[in-house]
Amino acid sequence: MRIARFAPDGAEPRFGIVELAADGGDNPDTIATISGDPLAGPVNYTGERLALDDVRLLAPVIPRSKVVGVGRNFAAHAAEMGNEVPTTPLIFLKPNTSVVGPYDPIVRPSACKDLHHEGELAVVIGRICKQVPAERVAEVIFGYTVANDVTARDLQATDGQWSRAKGADSFCPLGPWIVTHLSLDDAAKLDITTAVDGELRQQGNTGQMVRGIAELVSHISSFTTLLPGDVILTGTPAGVGSMEPGQRVTVTVEGIGDLTNTVVDEDEDEDEDAE
């Protein structure tokens, strides 16, 4: 099942179930509206069905609490940055205000001169949990989506910690929807690519992660309570690089979909808001 959050014709956000042409169903490339928030409790079909082309897809989840990132979880990426693989998972937080959706702009702050893309698989938590054993992690996962862990690389180097470099507004694009039918085994063998203006920059597979999803969720839940809607970014493959204003960035995760955003300068974004 693909669960999307969307807004038709500027209306209030809603949730729906997406059916694609590739599914071979009777309603290709449509979204069937459901009532309520699927992360908050039972939902029902409303009977309304809309064409995907007629709605604006939003971030499929706005975390009520937190986005948890995992650094250097692909050995080749750690090496390209001149770092060793950490002996324990390297964890950082991104605020929920950093989350944007498909086709929303990635805003490069005026203080940043070197903005990088980091395509990743994201795990969406479905229930309150703490100290989850690795063998029970599947029970607390709601689904998976695509993420771009946007990073101000120059600020990361100068600040000595990552809050500003990874936590700015728009630095966590998520989408296009949450896929709920993937098993842990499925999620452990998905191709990840990132392209900038059609040029392939990153190419990897979740099977290359140093620590798998079960280990990551178990470790993170050992020290912090995870809440429904929390998002875990599982790490990026090698090939990270700069994004410039005007460039279009697409992260693709096999079996989930494409997440596309365009980079703008902060001053440009403020000018558009003022119009």
Side-chain angles (χ1 to χ4, degrees):
M1 184 180 295
R2 300 177 193 88
I3 299 178
R5 182 170 165 267
F6 69 99
D9 299 325
E12 288 297 312
R14 308 182 204 173
F15 288 91
I17 308 301
V18 174
E19 184 174 319
L20 300 180
D23 299 333
D26 296 330
N27 300 285
D29 298 330
T30 61
I31 184 164
T33 303
I34 56 177
S35 62
D37 181 343
L39 279 159
V43 296
N44 297 296
Y45 285 97
T46 66
E48 181 183 25
R49 186 178 292 273
L50 303 168
L52 271 177
D53 288 343
D54 292 340
V55 304
R56 176 188 171 212
L57 291 177
L58 307 173
V61 57
I62 298 295
R64 298 166 174 82
S65 174
K66 53 192 171 292
V67 178
V68 185
V70 181
R72 304 172 192 166
N73 198 34
F74 283 73
H77 169 59
E80 74 178 345
M81 302 305 295
N83 298 307
E84 299 291 332
V85 172
T87 56
T88 57
L90 177 59
I91 304 300
F92 60 92
L93 297 177
K94 294 169 84 88
N96 57 9
T97 48
S98 68
V99 173
V100 293
Y103 302 106
D104 287 337
I106 296 171
V107 181
R108 185 176 74 172
S110 57
C112 171
K113 305 304 179 188
D114 190 18
L115 191 68
H116 279 211
H117 56 78
E118 296 191 9
E120 309 198 7
L121 172 70
V123 178
V124 181
I125 298 300
R127 54 189 283 192
I128 298 174
C129 57
K130 181 76 182 290
Q131 298 179 340
V132 184
E135 63 272 17
R136 298 193 63 183
V137 162
E139 299 174 26
V140 306
I141 293 176
F142 180 77
Y144 302 90
T145 190
V146 184
N148 189 346
D149 176 22
V150 177
T151 304
R153 196 67 71 196
D154 48 350
L155 303 184
Q156 186 182 34
T158 59
D159 285 1
Q161 50 83 27
W162 298 1
S163 296
R164 186 165 64 136
K166 288 181 174 285
D169 291 354
S170 80
F171 273 26
C172 190
L174 297 174
W177 36 65
I178 300 170
V179 169
T180 63
H181 58 265
L182 292 176
S183 68
L184 270 176
D185 287 342
D186 292 333
K189 52 188 177 185
L190 302 177
D191 289 333
I192 303 173
T193 61
T194 303
V196 178
D197 287 343
E199 175 192 358
L200 183 64
R201 296 280 191 85
Q202 291 183 272
Q203 187 169 20
N205 187 281
T206 54
Q208 299 167 335
M209 292 194 301
V210 176
R211 296 175 177 88
I213 294 165
E215 182 178 353
L216 293 177
V217 174
S218 182
H219 174 76
I220 293 165
S221 71
S222 72
F223 64 86
T224 187
T225 299
L226 294 171
L227 303 178
D230 281 355
V231 175
I232 296 174
L233 310 182
T234 58
T236 195
V240 300
S242 295
M243 307 181 291
E244 299 293 333
Q247 290 187 314
R248 187 179 177 94
V249 183
T250 299
V251 180
T252 302
V253 177
E254 177 188 8
I256 300 178
D258 302 331
L259 172 64
T260 298
N261 302 88
T262 299
V263 181
V264 302
D265 261 327
E266 185 174 42
D267 293 342
E268 176 185 348
D269 187 60
E270 290 175 350
D271 290 343
E272 291 180 356
D273 290 343
E275 292 179 357

